[in-house]
């Protein structure tokens, strides 16, 4: 894939290659296997962004588990709006279950905190999170982020499921907005 891509009005520069992302996901998968192998967890995919990460990760998890999906939205363009809208909710009984949220990116942590509360209120036994990328400088929550593929600077990124107004999710590498 090319070194630069243009999506709508912005140019993005290649930042993490597909090979490096695959390696990081394999490491995250190995850590998840150690923790959840005997626990029959539910892996909760946050649509749409985490789809690509989830597909790559799930293929490497060699133990009984189920998946479910939720859809939340807090971003408009390259800015967090601060308000989280639940577009598709949880539609199954999770009482007593271990839940592992799968995210493409943890930014301020608002989405995670919102989901964590929703899942604990619904009776989950425990809730953890695995994310492909995280922006530690932007993170404002107290909850631990358990499995992280890459810690990245506080700059907008696209690719591998991450989008700019809906575009860029299909890029196999991760690109950073050009300064
Ligand atoms: P948080 O609630 O602030 O942690 O934001 C999480 C959500 O914001 C993610 O699921 C993404 O949809 C979106 N987001 C945050 N940073 C980026 C980025 O750099 N690129 C694309 N989406 C992002």
């Amino acid at each position: 894939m090319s070194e630069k891509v243009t999506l709508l009005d912005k140019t993005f520069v290649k930042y993490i290659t597909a090979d490096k992302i695959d390696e990081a996901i394999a490491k995250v998968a190995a850590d998840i296997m150690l923790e959840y192998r005997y626990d029959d967890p539910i892996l909760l995919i946050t649509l749409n962004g985490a789809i690509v990460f989830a597909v790559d990760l799930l293929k490497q998890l060699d133990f009984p588990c189920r998946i479910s999906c939720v859809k939340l939205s807090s971003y408009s363009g390259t800015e967090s709006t601060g308000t989280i809208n639940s577009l598709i909710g949880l539609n199954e009984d999770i009482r007593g279950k271990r839940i592992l949220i799968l995210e493409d990116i943890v930014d301020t942590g608002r989405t995670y905190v919102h989901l964590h509360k929703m899942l604990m209120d619904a009776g989950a036994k425990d809730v953890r999170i695995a994310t492909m990328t995280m922006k530690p400088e932007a993170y404002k929550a107290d909850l631990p982020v358990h499995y992280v593929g890459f810690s990245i600077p506080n700059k907008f990124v696209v690719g591998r499921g991450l989008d700019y107004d809906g575009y860029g999710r299909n890029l196999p590498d991760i690109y950073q907005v050009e300064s």
Side-chain angles (χ1 to χ4, degrees), residues 13-178:
V13 185
K14 195 183 278 188
Y15 176 56
I16 309 173
T17 62
D19 287 356
K20 291 276 174 227
I21 300 165
D22 291 340
E23 272 173 35
I25 294 175
K27 166 85 175 61
V28 168
D31 291 346
I32 290 172
M33 295 257 283
L34 284 177
E35 175 69 27
Y36 288 97
R37 173 159 233 130
Y38 304 110
D39 293 348
D40 189 19
I42 296 176
L43 306 191
L44 190 68
I45 303 168
T46 54
L47 301 172
N48 296 325
I51 291 176
V52 182
F53 170 55
V55 168
D56 291 339
L57 182 79
L58 288 167
K59 285 184 289 192
Q60 302 189 44
L61 298 181
D62 184 17
F63 64 88
C65 60
R66 290 181 288 157
I67 62 168
S68 188
C69 297
V70 288
K71 185 167 185 176
L72 306 167
S73 163
S74 69
Y75 253 62
S76 171
T78 60
E79 298 296 330
S80 175
T81 61
T83 315
I84 296 168
N85 300 308
S86 199
L87 306 176
I88 298 175
L90 193 68
N91 61 358
E92 61 196 279
D93 187 0
I94 61 160
R95 279 174 294 179
K97 303 296 297 179
R98 296 197 74 188
I99 310 293
L100 180 64
I101 300 166
L102 302 184
E103 264 290 14
D104 49 353
I105 192 159
V106 173
D107 183 28
T108 63
R110 274 192 214 107
T111 310
Y112 174 31
V113 168
H114 179 91
L115 254 183
H116 189 281
K117 179 170 184 331
M118 183 182 109
L119 296 166
M120 291 307 288
D121 286 352
K125 181 177 174 194
D126 79 335
V127 177
R128 290 185 171 210
I129 189 165
T131 183
M132 182 176 68
T133 56
M134 165 165 193
K135 295 178 181 168
E137 293 157 29
Y139 192 65
K140 295 190 178 71
D142 293 328
L143 294 172
V145 179
H146 305 87
Y147 308 99
V148 179
F150 296 95
S151 289
I152 61 172
N154 194 7
K155 285 182 84 174
F156 197 78
V157 286
V158 293
R160 209 66 180 229
L162 292 155
D163 74 303
Y164 172 45
D165 267 351
Y167 293 94
R169 294 195 198 277
N170 54 316
L171 296 165
D173 309 283
I174 293 176
Y175 290 74
Q176 197 175 51
V177 71
E178 196 170 54

